[in-house]
Amino acid sequence: IKQNVSSVEDVSQLEIHLANLRYVYDLHEFYVDDRKIQVRPQSASLLLLFLKAPYYTVSKEEIISCLWRQGDSNAGDRVRRALSDLRAFFRENSVNLSIESSGNVHSLAVLKR
């Protein structure tokens, strides 16, 4: 179930569940099928951005503003790399999610298994 929140402080006792992924706010931990997993800081920030966004959809500009400074000349390459790293994280940890991209908009999608 998706929960829209404005800040982590507002949801200190809540969890987000999507597919077989769970994020526990008060512990700042991710779980896949009840197995705690380690997530690199940049991938964790990007994943939380998706999880907190309406319809799990974010723009390239939202990713840039979340992870880097505006006006970064390498921002496009960095966004592609961050998305690629998150996709690899999903595969390596058997997370039943994928990232679908259309232009400058990216969405989490649940994989059907």
Side-chain angles (χ1 to χ4, degrees):
I1 294 176
K2 171 79 174 73
Q3 300 170 16
N4 291 322
V5 295
S6 59
S7 70
V8 172
E9 293 78 26
D10 295 338
V11 292
S12 61
Q13 300 301 316
L14 297 179
E15 298 179 0
I16 292 178
H17 297 260
L18 183 61
N20 64 334
L21 179 75
R22 178 170 55 107
Y23 177 73
V24 180
Y25 277 99
D26 59 344
L27 300 175
H28 303 291
E29 294 176 343
F30 288 93
Y31 295 83
V32 173
D33 297 325
D34 295 322
R35 173 180 45 93
K36 182 179 171 183
I37 55 173
Q38 296 298 317
V39 184
R40 290 186 6 215
Q42 181 174 307
S43 291
S45 294
L46 181 55
L47 183 51
L48 284 173
L49 179 66
F50 274 111
L51 291 173
K52 293 192 290 183
Y55 306 105
Y56 310 112
T57 300
V58 296
S59 68
K60 175 182 173 183
E61 292 75 23
E62 289 171 313
I63 295 171
I64 292 168
S65 68
C66 175
L67 299 179
W68 307 287
R69 290 188 294 263
Q70 293 287 15
D72 184 337
S73 62
N74 295 324
D77 290 336
R78 288 182 183 206
V79 167
R80 281 188 290 282
R81 177 65 183 185
L83 291 168
S84 177
D85 288 349
L86 190 54
R87 286 179 177 113
F89 167 79
F90 289 162
R91 282 190 307 274
E92 293 163 6
N93 289 282
S94 301
V95 178
N96 294 336
L97 295 172
S98 67
I99 299 171
E100 296 178 352
S101 299
S102 177
N104 287 332
V105 177
H106 310 280
S107 301
L108 285 182
V110 176
L111 294 174
K112 297 180 182 185
R113 303 226 177 209

